[in-house]
Amino acid sequence: MENTTSNSEYLRGTLKTIVLSLLAENKRMYGYEITQAVKEQTNGEIALTFGALYPVLHKLEQEGALLTESLEVDGRLRKYYALTQQGAETAREKTIELGRFLNALQNLLGVPEPLPATS
Amino acid sequence: MENTTSNSEYLRGTLKTIVLSLLAENKRMYGYEITQAVKEQTNGEIALTFGALYPVLHKLEQEGALLTESLEVDGRLRKYYALTQQGAETAREKTIELGRFLNALQNLLGVPEPLPATS
DNA sequence: CAAATATATATAAGATATTTATATATACAA
DNA sequence: TTGTATATATAAATATCTTATATATATTTG
């Protein structure tokens, strides 16, 4: 498989929110699954590295946003991460915040805003 | 004036491209002007700090993407930054790249894509 | 007339986030 | 048996950004 350029440079700062947002949609996921989901849902445009992902997962766990559960699947341990109630709240807030930021940035870059619906 | 939350956390990584993109639209700008333009064009949503901006400007200059010109205005020195030909090319590339990233991220966060125009 | 605010550029120390490299381990395909 | 896919994780190095600070003029406010 060819490797898409994968501009990870822009990922800086958004990684945490991406993880929270995915977990808000999926109930529980394991690390590898998260990287695959991001790759698939963005057509290879965004690729998470494990070196970046795991520290984020561990930090979110420390902060009380995530709970983990280890299951043995096919003879290997698989560590699932799920949002706590508090984490779900954080996910909502951060996703909205990031959405606002993305809109602002797109305006700045010259992408026209959708016209308000005519009354 | 109240200070909008200004989620600078998401700015990480995009700062360089923002600066290049603004300079592509404006021919030449000075540092303070750049911070004001970003603030205005994003309704206060994005606020650059000087501590982040100047290092980026200096680095772009070092890399040959920018040229500077100091003018005295109202008894004070004002340092203008403008894209070199090479910088203009970089700006084009990076702006497109960031645009692609922003779209990918919005899809990931569940923002629906605009429908393709009906023929 | 003094103080605050807006304009203007810049650096340094410290904090944080991310990349790159590495270690470990199983299953399956070539 | 070599490589690829699956799976988690840490450490060192680097890059980036925040916060604090310095300097200086002009204008507004009290």
Side-chain angles (χ1 to χ4, degrees):
Chain A
M1 285 294 130
E2 87 272 53
N3 216 359
T4 339
T5 0
S6 184
N7 33 26
S8 61
E9 123 193 41
Y10 299 121
L11 212 55
R12 305 184 142 273
T14 60
L15 188 47
K16 193 173 174 176
T17 304
I18 289 174
V19 169
L20 287 170
S21 169
L22 278 174
L23 285 172
E25 283 165 18
N26 288 287
K27 215 162 225 168
R28 68 175 200 181
M29 299 178 89
Y30 52 99
Y32 187 81
E33 188 184 11
I34 293 175
T35 64
Q36 297 306 302
V38 169
K39 202 190 276 180
E40 279 162 30
Q41 284 179 44
T42 65
N43 295 311
E45 191 71 44
I46 301 180
L48 306 189
T49 60
F50 298 114
L53 176 62
Y54 286 116
V56 164
L57 286 172
H58 300 330
K59 203 182 171 201
L60 286 171
E61 192 185 357
Q62 268 190 354
E63 292 170 2
L66 301 183
L67 281 178
T68 63
E69 192 187 352
S70 289
L71 293 184
E72 201 185 304
V73 180
D74 294 326
R76 268 169 297 181
L77 269 189
R78 188 179 278 178
K79 198 165 172 184
Y80 280 98
Y81 297 85
L83 293 178
T84 59
Q85 203 172 5
Q86 188 222 103
E89 178 55 30
T90 307
R92 255 189 302 278
E93 289 165 6
K94 293 235 143 236
T95 302
I96 290 170
E97 219 177 84
L98 180 51
R100 283 224 313 270
F101 175 82
L102 293 180
N103 282 331
L105 194 44
Q106 281 183 325
N107 290 341
L108 194 59
L109 293 183
V111 180
E113 254 180 307
L115 295 169
T118 46
S119 54
Chain B
M1 284 296 128
E2 86 273 52
N3 216 0
T4 339
T5 1
S6 185
N7 33 26
S8 61
E9 124 194 38
Y10 299 121
L11 210 56
R12 304 184 141 273
T14 60
L15 187 48
K16 193 174 174 176
T17 304
I18 289 174
V19 169
L20 286 171
S21 168
L22 278 173
L23 285 171
E25 282 164 18
N26 289 287
K27 213 160 225 171
R28 68 175 201 183
M29 299 178 90
Y30 52 100
Y32 187 81
E33 188 183 13
I34 292 175
T35 65
Q36 297 307 302
V38 169
K39 202 190 278 178
E40 281 162 30
Q41 286 179 43
T42 65
N43 294 310
E45 191 71 44
I46 301 181
L48 305 188
T49 59
F50 297 114
L53 177 61
Y54 285 116
V56 165
L57 286 172
H58 299 330
K59 203 183 170 200
L60 286 171
E61 191 184 357
Q62 268 189 353
E63 292 171 0
L66 302 182
L67 281 178
T68 63
E69 192 187 354
S70 289
L71 292 183
E72 202 185 304
V73 179
D74 293 326
R76 268 172 296 180
L77 269 190
R78 186 180 280 178
K79 198 165 172 183
Y80 280 99
Y81 296 85
L83 293 178
T84 59
Q85 201 172 6
Q86 187 222 104
E89 179 54 29
T90 307
R92 254 190 302 278
E93 287 165 6
K94 293 235 144 238
T95 303
I96 289 171
E97 219 177 85
L98 181 52
R100 283 223 314 268
F101 176 81
L102 294 180
N103 282 332
L105 195 44
Q106 280 183 326
N107 290 341
L108 195 59
L109 294 183
V111 180
E113 255 180 306
L115 295 169
T118 45
S119 55

